[in-house]
Amino acid sequence: GAGALVQLWKAMLAEARRRWDDGAPLPHVAAGAPVLGDALVHQKLVKLNCCVAKQEDDARRAPAAAEAAAEPDADGRVGAASELEGLVGLSSGRPLWAPATQEGPPLTSDELEQQQDTLLNVGESLGETAQAGMVMARLQSAQLKSDMQAFKAANPGCELADFVRWHSPRDWIEEEGEGEGGAPRGTMSERMTQPGNVWVQLWAATLPLAATQQRALFDAAKEAQLALQHLDLLSVPDVLEQLVPPLAP
């Protein structure tokens, strides 16, 4: 009956929390990021396994290995992952490298919807204005700031235009001819040169910092607790509604 279902759900929640505390993934739950079309309760369980995997990965990285990854190479680069073919610094004239970067936490459909609602509210209140664009960029700036820090660490002497050419090529308008040292001639797009542009502000405020030295964007403990809290608040009818397809009329 209903009482048995309630006890079963409570036991499943207790097992999920126990496995998180023990650092053990949930069995019979797919690996990888949540599939947004799946039932939300399943997405939360998948995300919980993502948090377990992230915590294991963090634990495997010994402090000595992290320190070694943060040591500059012979060219003064830190955290460089791969050379960007055909790209050289506009001012430095040195080959540009893509840095090792961080990944943010995987999002479930309700979290993605919440983000989109926030951005939509900004758009509705401010319209298609430069101010709206700046507010939206600030809301999404954690990943951008992290990427800027890593790029600066991997490319000493770089400038914002170098970063834009890697991170947002559509915002670089190439011109004919070559500049000093064979560097390409060009300019950044209009949106990148508007007063108060968030990219310009973030670039000026960030220091070179390899991904291994940065504060984590994906806090496994925090995200796991959020997933568990969501599951705790679900009633058995909520769960059944998500997992049992409605009968055809």
Side-chain angles (χ1 to χ4, degrees):
L5 288 174
V6 170
Q7 292 305 313
L8 176 62
W9 178 240
K10 286 184 176 179
M12 291 176 64
L13 290 177
E15 178 66 7
R17 190 170 288 278
R18 183 190 69 78
R19 283 183 169 272
W20 162 249
D21 291 339
D22 292 346
L26 293 164
H28 313 301
V29 174
V35 177
L36 299 181
D38 288 350
L40 185 56
V41 63
H42 186 256
Q43 293 181 49
K44 295 296 182 181
L45 295 174
V46 171
K47 181 162 185 174
L48 196 59
N49 271 4
C50 289
C51 293
V52 171
K54 177 66 162 61
Q55 198 166 61
E56 288 178 349
D57 185 50
D58 290 345
R60 279 196 298 267
R61 294 179 182 174
E67 288 179 14
E71 286 295 318
D73 64 14
D75 294 320
R77 305 179 189 277
V78 180
S82 59
E83 187 172 349
L84 295 169
E85 187 176 351
L87 287 183
V88 298
L90 296 176
S91 298
S92 68
R94 301 171 63 185
L96 295 176
W97 284 63
T101 56
Q102 291 198 65
E103 289 187 12
L107 297 178
T108 53
S109 56
D110 61 323
E111 294 166 335
L112 186 61
E113 184 178 352
Q114 185 178 17
Q115 277 193 6
Q116 291 172 339
D117 287 344
T118 301
L119 295 175
L120 183 61
N121 289 335
V122 170
E124 289 178 347
S125 60
L126 297 177
E128 295 184 7
T129 62
Q131 184 183 5
M134 286 187 286
V135 172
M136 290 181 182
R138 285 195 181 94
L139 292 172
Q140 300 170 302
S141 65
Q143 182 73 58
L144 180 60
K145 179 181 179 180
S146 172
D147 291 348
M148 283 183 173
Q149 290 177 314
F151 188 84
K152 284 186 173 183
N155 297 283
C158 64
E159 57 183 275
L160 176 58
D162 296 331
F163 177 77
V164 167
R165 289 158 63 212
W166 166 63
H167 203 279
S168 183
R170 66 188 180 89
D171 284 302
W172 174 253
I173 303 167
E174 207 162 303
E175 299 172 352
E176 292 184 6
E178 293 182 346
E180 294 183 10
R185 293 173 59 84
T187 183
M188 290 192 291
S189 66
E190 183 179 353
R191 82 180 184 107
M192 285 293 175
T193 54
Q194 289 177 341
N197 180 276
V198 174
W199 286 53
V200 175
Q201 294 177 348
L202 279 177
W203 185 261
T206 55
L207 296 174
L209 202 61
T212 54
Q213 300 170 303
Q214 298 174 16
R215 179 179 179 178
L217 293 178
F218 182 0
D219 185 334
K222 174 186 173 183
E223 297 295 333
Q225 290 305 320
L226 289 174
L228 289 168
Q229 287 170 17
H230 177 92
L231 294 170
D232 282 339
L233 293 173
L234 291 177
S235 65
V236 169
D238 292 333
V239 176
L240 292 178
E241 183 180 359
Q242 292 184 39
L243 298 181
V244 180
L247 296 176

